Coordinates of all heavy atoms in Angstrom, one line a residue:
M3 N 2.7 1.6 18.1 CA 2.2 2.7 17.3 C 3.1 3.9 17.4 O 3.1 4.7 16.4 CB 0.8 3.1 17.9 CG -0.2 1.9 17.7 SD -0.3 1.3 16.1 CE -1.7 2.1 15.5
Y4 N 3.9 4.0 18.4 CA 4.8 5.2 18.5 C 5.8 5.1 17.4 O 6.3 6.2 16.9 CB 5.6 5.1 19.9 CG 6.4 6.4 20.1 CD1 5.8 7.5 20.6 CD2 7.7 6.4 19.7 CE1 6.6 8.6 20.8 CE2 8.5 7.5 19.9 CZ 7.9 8.6 20.5 OH 8.7 9.8 20.7
G5 N 6.2 3.9 16.9 CA 7.1 3.8 15.8 C 6.5 4.4 14.5 O 7.3 4.8 13.6
L6 N 5.2 4.4 14.4 CA 4.6 5.0 13.2 C 4.4 6.5 13.4 O 4.8 7.3 12.5 CB 3.2 4.4 13.0 CG 2.4 4.9 11.9 CD1 3.1 4.6 10.6 CD2 1.0 4.2 11.9
Y7 N 3.9 7.0 14.5 CA 3.8 8.4 14.8 C 3.8 8.6 16.3 O 3.1 7.9 17.0 CB 2.5 8.9 14.2 CG 2.3 10.4 14.5 CD1 2.9 11.4 13.7 CD2 1.6 10.8 15.6 CE1 2.8 12.7 14.0 CE2 1.5 12.2 15.9 CZ 2.1 13.1 15.1 OH 2.0 14.4 15.4
P8 N 4.6 9.5 16.8 CA 5.5 10.5 16.1 C 6.8 10.0 15.6 O 7.6 10.7 15.0 CB 5.6 11.6 17.1 CG 5.6 10.9 18.4 CD 4.6 9.7 18.2
G9 N 7.1 8.7 15.9 CA 8.4 8.2 15.4 C 8.4 8.0 13.9 O 7.5 8.2 13.2
N10 N 9.5 7.5 13.5 CA 9.6 7.2 12.0 C 10.2 5.9 11.7 O 10.9 5.7 10.7 CB 10.4 8.3 11.4 CG 11.8 8.4 11.9 OD1 12.3 7.7 12.8 ND2 12.6 9.4 11.4
L11 N 10.0 4.9 12.6 CA 10.6 3.6 12.4 C 9.7 2.7 11.5 O 10.2 1.8 10.9 CB 10.7 2.8 13.8 CG 11.6 3.5 14.8 CD1 11.5 2.8 16.1 CD2 13.0 3.5 14.3
I12 N 8.4 3.0 11.4 CA 7.5 2.3 10.5 C 7.2 3.2 9.3 O 6.7 4.2 9.4 CB 6.2 1.9 11.3 CG1 6.6 1.0 12.5 CG2 5.3 1.2 10.3 CD1 5.4 0.7 13.4
T13 N 7.7 2.7 8.1 CA 7.5 3.5 6.9 C 7.1 2.5 5.8 O 6.8 1.4 6.0 CB 8.9 4.1 6.5 OG1 9.8 3.1 6.2 CG2 9.4 5.0 7.6
E14 N 7.1 3.0 4.6 CA 6.7 2.2 3.4 C 7.7 1.1 3.3 O 7.3 0.0 2.7 CB 6.7 3.1 2.1 CG 5.6 4.1 2.1 CD 6.0 5.4 2.8 OE1 7.2 5.6 3.1 OE2 5.1 6.2 3.1
K15 N 8.9 1.2 3.8 CA 9.9 0.2 3.6 C 9.6 -1.0 4.6 O 10.1 -2.1 4.3 CB 11.3 0.8 4.0 CG 11.8 1.8 2.9 CD 13.1 2.3 3.3 CE 13.5 3.4 2.3 NZ 14.8 4.0 2.7
T16 N 8.8 -0.8 5.6 CA 8.4 -1.8 6.5 C 6.9 -2.1 6.3 O 6.1 -1.9 7.2 CB 8.7 -1.5 8.0 OG1 8.1 -0.2 8.3 CG2 10.2 -1.3 8.2
S17 N 6.6 -2.5 5.1 CA 5.2 -2.6 4.7 C 4.3 -3.5 5.6 O 3.2 -3.3 5.8 CB 5.1 -3.0 3.3 OG 5.7 -4.3 3.1
E18 N 4.9 -4.6 6.1 CA 4.1 -5.5 7.0 C 3.8 -4.8 8.3 O 2.6 -5.0 8.8 CB 4.9 -6.8 7.3 CG 5.0 -7.7 6.1 CD 5.8 -9.0 6.4 OE1 6.1 -9.2 7.5 OE2 6.0 -9.7 5.4
L19 N 4.7 -4.1 8.9 CA 4.4 -3.3 10.1 C 3.4 -2.2 9.8 O 2.5 -1.9 10.6 CB 5.7 -2.7 10.7 CG 6.7 -3.7 11.3 CD1 7.9 -3.0 11.7 CD2 6.0 -4.5 12.4
L20 N 3.5 -1.5 8.7 CA 2.6 -0.5 8.3 C 1.2 -1.0 8.2 O 0.2 -0.4 8.7 CB 3.1 0.2 7.0 CG 2.4 1.4 6.6 CD1 2.7 2.5 7.6 CD2 2.9 1.9 5.2
E21 N 1.0 -2.2 7.5 CA -0.3 -2.8 7.4 C -0.8 -3.2 8.8 O -2.0 -3.1 9.0 CB -0.2 -4.0 6.5 CG -1.5 -4.8 6.3 CD -2.6 -4.0 5.6 OE1 -2.3 -2.9 5.1 OE2 -3.7 -4.4 5.7
A22 N 0.0 -3.7 9.7 CA -0.4 -4.1 11.0 C -0.9 -2.9 11.8 O -1.9 -3.0 12.5 CB 0.8 -4.7 11.8
C23 N -0.3 -1.7 11.6 CA -0.8 -0.5 12.3 C -2.1 -0.1 11.7 O -3.0 0.3 12.4 CB 0.3 0.6 12.1 SG 1.8 0.4 13.0
R24 N -2.3 -0.2 10.4 CA -3.5 0.2 9.8 C -4.7 -0.7 10.3 O -5.7 -0.2 10.7 CB -3.4 0.1 8.2 CG -4.7 0.6 7.5 CD -4.7 0.3 6.0 NE -4.7 -1.2 5.8 CZ -5.8 -1.9 5.9 NH1 -6.9 -1.4 6.3 NH2 -5.7 -3.2 5.6
V25 N -4.4 -2.0 10.4 CA -5.4 -2.9 10.9 C -5.8 -2.6 12.3 O -6.9 -2.6 12.7 CB -5.0 -4.4 10.7 CG1 -5.9 -5.4 11.4 CG2 -4.9 -4.7 9.2
A26 N -4.7 -2.4 13.1 CA -5.0 -2.1 14.6 C -5.8 -0.9 14.7 O -6.7 -0.9 15.5 CB -3.6 -2.0 15.3
L27 N -5.5 0.2 14.0 CA -6.3 1.4 14.1 C -7.7 1.2 13.6 O -8.7 1.7 14.2 CB -5.6 2.5 13.3 CG -4.4 3.1 14.0 CD1 -3.6 3.9 13.0 CD2 -4.7 3.8 15.2
E28 N -7.9 0.4 12.6 CA -9.3 0.2 12.1 C -10.1 -0.6 13.1 O -11.3 -0.3 13.3 CB -9.3 -0.6 10.8 CG -8.9 0.3 9.6 CD -8.9 -0.4 8.3 OE1 -9.1 -1.7 8.3 OE2 -8.7 0.2 7.2
R29 N -9.4 -1.6 13.8 CA -10.1 -2.4 14.8 C -10.5 -1.6 16.0 O -11.5 -1.9 16.7 CB -9.3 -3.6 15.2 CG -9.2 -4.6 14.1 CD -8.4 -5.8 14.5 NE -8.3 -6.8 13.4 CZ -7.6 -7.9 13.4 NH1 -6.9 -8.1 14.5 NH2 -7.6 -8.7 12.4
R30 N -9.7 -0.6 16.3 CA -10.0 0.3 17.5 C -11.3 1.2 17.2 O -11.9 1.6 18.1 CB -8.9 1.2 17.8 CG -7.7 0.4 18.4 CD -6.6 1.4 18.7 NE -5.4 0.6 19.2 CZ -4.3 1.2 19.6 NH1 -4.1 2.5 19.5 NH2 -3.3 0.5 20.0
G31 N -11.5 1.4 15.9 CA -12.7 2.2 15.6 C -12.5 3.7 15.7 O -11.4 4.2 16.0
D32 N -13.6 4.4 15.6 CA -13.6 5.9 15.6 C -14.0 6.4 17.0 O -14.2 7.6 17.2 CB -14.5 6.5 14.6 CG -13.9 6.2 13.2 OD1 -12.7 6.1 13.1 OD2 -14.7 6.2 12.2
E33 N -14.3 5.5 17.9 CA -14.7 5.9 19.3 C -13.5 6.3 20.1 O -12.4 5.8 19.8 CB -15.4 4.8 20.0 CG -16.6 4.3 19.2 CD -17.7 5.3 19.1 OE1 -18.0 6.0 20.0 OE2 -18.4 5.3 18.0
G34 N -13.7 7.1 21.1 CA -12.6 7.4 22.0 C -12.5 8.9 22.2 O -13.1 9.7 21.6
T35 N -11.7 9.2 23.2 CA -11.5 10.6 23.6 C -10.0 10.8 23.9 O -9.2 9.9 24.0 CB -12.3 11.0 24.8 OG1 -11.9 10.1 25.9 CG2 -13.8 10.8 24.6
G36 N -9.7 12.1 24.1 CA -8.3 12.4 24.5 C -7.2 12.1 23.5 O -7.4 12.2 22.3
W37 N -6.1 11.6 24.1 CA -4.9 11.3 23.2 C -5.2 10.3 22.2 O -4.6 10.3 21.1 CB -3.7 10.9 24.1 CG -3.1 12.1 24.8 CD1 -3.2 12.4 26.1 CD2 -2.4 13.2 24.2 NE1 -2.6 13.6 26.4 CE2 -2.1 14.1 25.2 CE3 -2.0 13.5 22.9 CZ2 -1.4 15.2 25.0 CZ3 -1.3 14.6 22.7 CH2 -1.0 15.5 23.7
C38 N -6.0 9.3 22.5 CA -6.4 8.3 21.5 C -6.9 8.9 20.2 O -6.4 8.6 19.1 CB -7.4 7.4 22.1 SG -8.0 6.1 21.0
M39 N -7.8 9.9 20.3 CA -8.4 10.5 19.1 C -7.3 11.5 18.5 O -7.3 11.6 17.3 CB -9.6 11.3 19.5 CG -10.8 10.4 19.7 SD -11.2 9.3 18.3 CE -11.5 10.4 17.0
A40 N -6.5 12.1 19.3 CA -5.5 13.0 18.8 C -4.5 12.2 17.9 O -4.2 12.7 16.8 CB -4.7 13.7 19.9
W41 N -4.1 11.0 18.3 CA -3.2 10.2 17.5 C -3.9 9.8 16.2 O -3.3 9.7 15.1 CB -2.7 9.0 18.3 CG -1.5 9.3 19.1 CD1 -1.4 10.4 19.9 CD2 -0.4 8.5 19.3 NE1 -0.2 10.4 20.6 CE2 0.4 9.2 20.2 CE3 0.0 7.3 18.8 CZ2 1.7 8.7 20.6 CZ3 1.2 6.8 19.3 CH2 2.0 7.5 20.1
K42 N -5.2 9.4 16.3 CA -5.9 8.9 15.1 C -6.0 10.1 14.1 O -5.9 9.8 12.9 CB -7.3 8.4 15.5 CG -7.2 7.1 16.3 CD -8.6 6.7 16.7 CE -8.6 5.4 17.5 NZ -9.9 5.0 17.9
V43 N -6.3 11.3 14.6 CA -6.4 12.4 13.7 C -5.0 12.6 13.0 O -5.0 12.9 11.8 CB -6.8 13.7 14.4 CG1 -6.7 14.9 13.6 CG2 -8.3 13.5 14.8
C44 N -3.9 12.5 13.7 CA -2.6 12.7 13.1 C -2.3 11.7 12.1 O -1.5 11.9 11.2 CB -1.5 12.7 14.2 SG -1.6 14.2 15.3
L45 N -2.9 10.5 12.2 CA -2.6 9.4 11.3 C -3.6 9.3 10.2 O -3.5 8.4 9.3 CB -2.6 8.1 12.0 CG -1.4 7.9 13.0 CD1 -1.6 6.7 13.9 CD2 -0.1 7.8 12.2
S46 N -4.6 10.2 10.1 CA -5.6 10.2 9.1 C -5.6 11.5 8.3 O -5.0 12.4 8.7 CB -7.0 9.9 9.7 OG -7.3 11.0 10.6
G47 N -6.4 11.5 7.3 CA -6.5 12.6 6.5 C -7.9 12.7 5.9 O -8.7 11.8 6.0
P48 N -8.2 13.9 5.4 CA -9.6 14.0 4.9 C -9.8 13.2 3.6 O -9.0 13.1 2.8 CB -9.7 15.5 4.5 CG -8.3 15.9 4.3 CD -7.4 15.1 5.2
D49 N -11.0 12.6 3.6 CA -11.3 11.8 2.4 C -11.8 12.8 1.3 O -12.2 13.9 1.6 CB -12.5 10.8 2.7 CG -12.7 9.8 1.7 OD1 -11.9 9.7 0.8 OD2 -13.6 9.0 1.8
S50 N -11.6 12.5 0.1 CA -11.8 13.4 -1.0 C -13.3 13.8 -1.1 O -14.1 13.2 -1.7 CB -11.4 12.8 -2.3 OG -12.1 11.5 -2.5
G51 N -13.6 14.9 -0.4 CA -14.9 15.5 -0.5 C -16.1 14.9 0.3 O -17.2 15.5 0.3
T52 N -15.9 13.8 1.0 CA -17.0 13.2 1.6 C -17.1 13.6 3.1 O -18.2 13.3 3.7 CB -16.9 11.6 1.6 OG1 -15.7 11.3 2.4 CG2 -16.7 11.1 0.2
G53 N -16.1 14.2 3.7 CA -16.2 14.6 5.1 C -15.8 13.5 6.0 O -15.7 13.7 7.2
N54 N -15.5 12.3 5.4 CA -15.1 11.2 6.3 C -13.6 11.2 6.3 O -12.9 11.8 5.6 CB -15.6 9.8 5.7 CG -17.1 9.7 5.7 OD1 -17.7 10.2 6.6 ND2 -17.6 9.1 4.7
M55 N -13.0 10.4 7.2 CA -11.6 10.3 7.4 C -11.1 8.9 6.8 O -11.8 8.0 6.9 CB -11.2 10.4 8.8 CG -11.7 11.7 9.5 SD -10.9 13.1 8.8 CE -9.4 13.2 9.7
H56 N -9.9 8.9 6.3 CA -9.3 7.6 5.9 C -7.9 7.7 6.4 O -7.3 8.7 6.6 CB -9.4 7.4 4.4 CG -8.4 8.3 3.6 ND1 -8.7 9.6 3.3 CD2 -7.2 8.0 3.1 CE1 -7.6 10.1 2.7 NE2 -6.7 9.2 2.5
W57 N -7.3 6.5 6.6 CA -6.0 6.4 7.1 C -5.0 6.9 6.0 O -5.0 6.4 4.9 CB -5.6 5.0 7.6 CG -6.5 4.6 8.7 CD1 -7.5 3.6 8.6 CD2 -6.7 5.2 9.9 NE1 -8.2 3.6 9.8 CE2 -7.7 4.5 10.6 CE3 -6.1 6.3 10.6 CZ2 -8.1 4.9 11.9 CZ3 -6.5 6.6 11.8 CH2 -7.5 5.9 12.5
G58 N -4.2 7.9 6.3 CA -3.3 8.5 5.4 C -2.0 7.8 5.2 O -1.1 8.4 4.7
F59 N -1.9 6.6 5.5 CA -0.6 5.9 5.3 C -0.9 4.6 4.5 O -1.9 4.2 4.3 CB 0.1 5.6 6.6 CG -0.7 4.8 7.6 CD1 -0.7 3.4 7.6 CD2 -1.4 5.5 8.6 CE1 -1.4 2.7 8.5 CE2 -2.1 4.8 9.5 CZ -2.1 3.4 9.5

């Protein structure tokens, strides 16, 4: 996951790795505290008007 954020090794050019990161984060769910949630927030963005979060990559 470090290669995705804060690193820059996983990008749109490595679409299979990007998809694997998305799946891994979805499977981990929205539970958690500390650095786990901080990383999830950095990798997500606000959903259009619903107040929910979606993965921004």
Side-chain angles (χ1 to χ4, degrees):
M3 298 307 261
Y4 187 86
L6 179 62
Y7 180 83
N10 60 1
L11 299 174
I12 300 173
T13 66
E14 293 84 14
K15 294 179 182 178
T16 56
S17 60
E18 289 181 8
L19 292 175
L20 192 62
E21 178 65 13
C23 289
R24 186 188 64 76
V25 169
L27 288 168
E28 284 182 356
R29 288 182 181 172
R30 289 180 184 180
D32 293 332
E33 304 294 323
T35 59
W37 284 108
C38 175
M39 285 305 297
W41 277 41
K42 289 178 185 179
V43 168
C44 290
L45 292 169
S46 64
D49 196 6
S50 55
T52 65
N54 296 325
M55 302 296 276
H56 74 280
W57 300 115
F59 55 86

